[in-house]
Amino acid sequence: MRPAHIGLAVLVTALWGVNFVVIDVGLDHFPPLLFCSLRFLVAAVPAIFLVGPPRVSWRWIVGVGLALGVAKFGLLFIGMHEGMPAGLSSLVLQIQAVFTALFAAVVLAERPGRRRLLGMAVALAGIAVAAVDEGTSGPLLGFVLVIAAAAFWGVSNVLTRKAAPPDPLSFMVWVSVVPVLPLLGLSLMFEGADPGLHALAALDWAGAGAIVYVAWLSTVLGFGLWGFLLRTYDASAVAPFSLLVPVFGMSSAALVLGEGISPLRWLAAALLVGGVALTSLPTARPRNPDSRSGHSLVAP
């Protein structure tokens, strides 16, 4: 990869890692489901006028929108609202690579080889260590909800690979339209109208900035740059950079939010990142369109 494009890849992973800190800030201003709905509303409404119509079947857009937008992000935001630390969330969410491999084996008949099976075992060991650490120092419910979010991320990855969108950015923009109303409806049902109206009435620069960051910088800009890299290079060259997301997530959470990183959490990070690398990184092979369009969605 050209040095400038390496810089872009690192920039995107930094945006996605810091995004967990910004989500934590946003959850101080909004109920989680309303915040999630606003994220997709702000990401979708300007962007749908800048991209063409979707070039895949609407069933894939709706399916990914519900799995990724409603289930994955809804559970992630609720989990963090329940006390799951931002840095640990950025790490634990990477177990999606294991769920993706498992679901792909069932749905796509992709049989994992020995390296992938070893990686899944190592990553699961990392999750077990993180669970022990979180179970003794934080709310276990939030941890479980983030694991569930990772599972739905795996579902959305398999659906995306089935859809094989020719333009990942356009696909993500249209996917972002789907969760807005379901999340708003769930917010009204479970969070009530008054907390949301109060949050909007008390909107300040920090709350508005959190929405803009998670919508435009993390989603639109992040996916735009990542899609450009995947169109330019093989997935095998681009995918390894996604392992930097928890590095930026944990370090920014420690610097900005003062989150401590215990020895057990360092061990969990080493096991999880190493396991995900073995599980998800493709082997080098000749470049072809499928190697780019089938890559997992990685933005948090």
Side-chain angles (χ1 to χ4, degrees):
M1 293 177 64
R2 293 172 54 187
H5 292 164
I6 292 175
L8 285 180
V10 174
L11 172 63
V12 172
T13 57
L15 290 174
W16 287 344
V18 173
N19 190 54
F20 287 89
V21 173
V22 178
I23 290 172
D24 191 82
V25 172
L27 290 172
D28 288 335
H29 293 75
F30 304 98
L33 292 173
L34 176 63
F35 184 34
C36 198
S37 178
L38 292 172
R39 173 212 178 124
F40 286 106
L41 175 65
V42 175
V45 170
I48 58 174
F49 299 107
L50 303 176
V51 300
R55 298 167 62 185
V56 298
S57 170
W58 279 102
R59 64 173 177 159
W60 299 120
I61 292 173
V62 172
V64 174
L66 293 176
L68 183 71
V70 178
K72 181 255 182 173
F73 280 107
L75 289 169
L76 172 64
F77 280 36
I78 295 172
M80 293 181 65
H81 179 71
E82 291 295 320
M84 182 68 167
L88 186 59
S89 296
S90 71
L91 175 66
V92 169
L93 206 60
Q94 301 309 311
I95 198 67
Q96 60 84 19
V98 172
F99 285 114
T100 300
L102 290 173
F103 298 151
V106 174
V107 178
L108 305 178
E110 295 182 2
R111 303 306 175 196
R114 291 182 180 179
R115 188 194 70 172
R116 183 162 292 181
L117 289 172
L118 175 62
M120 291 165 64
V122 173
L124 289 173
I127 287 295
V129 172
V132 171
D133 182 50
E134 186 64 9
T136 59
S137 61
L140 194 57
L141 175 60
F143 186 91
V144 172
L145 289 173
V146 174
I147 293 290
F152 278 103
W153 193 357
V155 171
S156 71
N157 285 337
V158 172
L159 292 176
T160 300
R161 291 172 68 173
K162 290 282 286 184
D167 185 345
L169 176 60
S170 175
F171 179 73
M172 186 60 195
V173 167
W174 286 102
V175 162
S176 297
V177 175
V178 175
V180 176
L181 291 180
L183 285 168
L184 181 59
L186 290 171
S187 176
L188 292 172
M189 185 181 303
F190 293 105
E191 297 168 344
D194 289 343
L197 291 174
H198 176 75
L200 293 173
L203 184 65
D204 58 13
W205 285 107
I211 295 174
V212 169
Y213 187 102
V214 298
W216 291 351
L217 295 182
S218 175
T219 304
V220 178
L221 178 62
F223 268 106
L225 293 176
W226 197 257
F228 163 75
L229 292 172
L230 288 173
R231 288 192 300 271
T232 307
Y233 300 98
D234 288 342
S236 59
V238 180
F241 288 96
S242 66
L243 296 176
L244 293 175
V245 172
V247 175
F248 285 113
M250 294 179 70
S251 59
S252 61
L255 290 172
V256 178
L257 303 177
E259 291 184 3
I261 306 178
S262 66
L264 273 180
R265 194 164 296 181
W266 280 119
L267 176 59
L271 290 171
L272 228 169
V273 171
V276 168
L278 289 171
T279 301
S280 62
L281 299 190
T283 56
R285 57 187 177 187
R287 183 173 154 185
N288 60 74
D290 290 340
S291 70
R292 299 189 302 273
S293 63
H295 185 62
S296 299
L297 296 168
V298 297

